[in-house]
Amino acid sequence: MTTIGSGVALIIVSVLVPKYLPYQPESTAQTAQPAISGNLKYELDSILSSLKINNGPLMDAISRFQSEYPEALKRGDKNVTDLLVLEMAFRIRTELQNLDYPDSQIEREVERIIGILAQPAQQGR
């Protein structure tokens, strides 16, 4: 009886605890990451505006890149940094292709934007 009773009680508790006490992960303070300087931010914004690709999803991807890339550099994780650069380049390339830019200009602009995004992180090394 005791075993069955404690088993039932354990099941009930395991169902009710998440319902009344939802899991809230501990919010870790963001480490000081090298923010993009004012000049570079202005240059990036002007490039994106002139190319007409400063839309929400791309800006979200840029923000994510700016937070994850320096962290991966700090950890020395070359695979992650390479993947982040490839993902960002793909997103920019796709946006420009959708706007019918010529391939030569697409590659030039992708290199320019990636250069700006990776520059503050490289200075922080």
Side-chain angles (χ1 to χ4, degrees), residues 82-102:
D82 290 346
L83 283 173
L84 288 169
V85 168
L86 284 174
E87 178 192 4
M88 197 70 238
F90 175 77
R91 287 177 179 265
I92 296 166
R93 192 173 291 115
T94 303
E95 290 287 332
L96 292 174
Q97 285 173 343
N98 289 340
L99 295 173
D100 295 325
Y101 280 92

Side-chain angles (χ1 to χ4, degrees), residues 14-122:
S14 67
V15 170
L16 294 178
V17 166
K19 182 177 179 182
Y20 293 108
L21 299 172
Y23 173 70
Q24 295 174 351
E26 183 179 317
S27 62
T28 58
Q30 290 288 337
T31 57
Q33 61 187 16
I36 191 167
S37 72
N39 291 340
L40 290 175
K41 182 169 178 27
Y42 176 77
E43 185 177 354
L44 179 65
D45 289 342
S46 66
I47 291 170
L48 296 175
S49 294
S50 69
L51 295 173
K52 296 179 177 77
I53 58 171
N54 54 346
N55 56 28
L58 185 62
M59 297 308 286
D60 291 343
I62 288 173
S63 296
R64 189 174 66 93
F65 179 90
Q66 288 176 323
S67 65
E68 292 178 7
Y69 189 78
E71 291 298 318
L73 276 178
K74 262 193 240 176
R75 290 190 314 264
D77 196 343
K78 181 152 176 49
N79 290 336
V80 172
T81 57
D82 290 346
L83 283 173
L84 288 169
V85 168
L86 284 174
E87 178 192 4
M88 197 70 238
F90 175 77
R91 287 177 179 265
I92 296 166
R93 192 173 291 115
T94 303
E95 290 287 332
L96 292 174
Q97 285 173 343
N98 289 340
L99 295 173
D100 295 325
Y101 280 92
D103 288 339
S104 60
Q105 184 181 3
I106 289 174
E107 291 309 313
R108 190 171 49 247
E109 297 300 338
V110 166
E111 288 176 14
R112 204 165 131 200
I113 293 169
I114 294 296
I116 290 171
L117 290 173
Q119 188 172 354
Q122 290 172 350

